[in-house]
């Protein structure tokens, strides 16, 4: 598993991409509508802040596997409301390396959040060895790809 993990890190480091993760802490929210609202607001604010950058592209394509209905609705409503002619593509994760990379980046973001909240499990610690190596070998290199 670590070999696959390292190959994905190497791929992401070598491809010209930027990413941004959006998240909410669900334990403080009891209502699914509030979660949808908070995520929609985060994504909307990000698009507005970087609107000129989005307009530089001929097409803005949103690839999603429709895994979570709420996320599909958020993506559709926010991108259609804020950008001219976004293109939505349903994907099968195994067909697109960049989709797999995006999923991987979300996993790294979750791991970082768990570290910050002291919720890192024993099995995760066994996989990564120690926190110093995790930060140096995985989190730090991928942070350089984050869209600020």
């Amino acid at each position: 598993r670590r070999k696959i993990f390292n190959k994905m890190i190497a791929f992401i480091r070598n491809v010209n991409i930027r990413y941004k993760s959006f998240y909410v802490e669900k334990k403080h929210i009891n209502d699914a509508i509030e979660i949808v609202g908070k995520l929609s607001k985060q994504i909307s604010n990000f698009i507005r802040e970087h609107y000129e950058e989005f307009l530089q592209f001929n097409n803005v394509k949103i690839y999603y596997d429709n895994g979570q209905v709420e996320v599909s609705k958020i993506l559709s409503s926010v991108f259609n409301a804020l950008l001219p002619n976004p293109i939505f593509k349903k994907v099968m994760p195994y067909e697109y390396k960049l989709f797999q990379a995006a999923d991987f980046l979300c996993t790294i973001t979750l791991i970082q959040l768990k570290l910050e909240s002291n919720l890192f499990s024993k099995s995760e610690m066994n996989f990564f060895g120690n926190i110093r190596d995790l930060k140096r070998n995985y989190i730090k290199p991928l942070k350089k790809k984050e869209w600020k």
Side-chain angles (χ1 to χ4, degrees):
R1 287 189 298 164
R2 190 185 316 255
K3 208 180 250 189
I4 293 168
F5 209 81
N6 289 335
K7 284 186 180 207
M8 184 58 83
I9 290 279
F11 172 73
I12 293 171
R13 288 174 86 168
N14 289 312
V15 72
N16 184 20
I17 61 169
R18 291 186 294 170
Y19 77 97
K20 179 69 177 165
S21 296
F22 303 96
Y23 51 87
V24 293
E25 204 171 325
K26 294 189 321 187
K27 70 180 178 181
H28 300 298
I29 302 171
N30 296 325
D31 187 9
I33 293 172
E34 187 177 351
I35 292 172
V36 168
K38 286 183 182 259
L39 282 173
S40 296
K41 192 174 284 189
Q42 286 180 33
I43 296 169
S44 296
N45 288 339
F46 179 78
I47 291 172
R48 284 186 190 108
E49 288 173 20
H50 300 279
Y51 189 70
E52 295 301 321
E53 292 174 72
F54 279 102
L55 291 181
Q56 292 175 10
F57 299 101
N58 293 333
N59 295 309
V60 174
K61 295 180 183 178
I62 298 92
Y63 292 90
Y64 190 60
D65 65 355
N66 296 336
Q68 296 179 21
V69 175
E70 292 85 4
V71 174
S72 298
K73 289 178 183 177
I74 291 168
L75 294 173
S76 178
S77 61
V78 170
F79 279 91
N80 276 308
L82 297 175
L83 294 175
N85 305 316
I87 299 167
F88 290 86
K89 297 210 176 222
K90 183 177 188 287
V91 299
M92 299 305 289
Y94 62 85
E95 294 176 339
Y96 291 91
K97 287 182 184 177
L98 287 177
F99 187 86
Q100 294 170 6
D103 190 47
F104 185 86
L105 289 163
C106 290
T107 300
I108 293 295
T109 299
L110 179 61
I111 289 169
Q112 184 177 355
L113 290 170
K114 288 172 87 173
L115 267 177
E116 291 167 3
S117 302
N118 293 320
L119 298 173
F120 209 57
S121 73
K122 199 173 199 176
S123 64
E124 289 165 329
M125 187 61 75
N126 286 337
F127 181 81
F128 291 107
N130 60 57
I131 292 173
R132 184 178 150 280
D133 287 345
L134 167 63
K135 288 179 179 179
R136 186 184 57 174
N137 297 328
Y138 301 104
I139 294 173
K140 186 177 178 184
L142 296 181
K143 274 290 197 192
K144 293 176 184 176
K145 297 279 188 174
E146 187 174 17
W147 199 343
K148 303 290 180 188

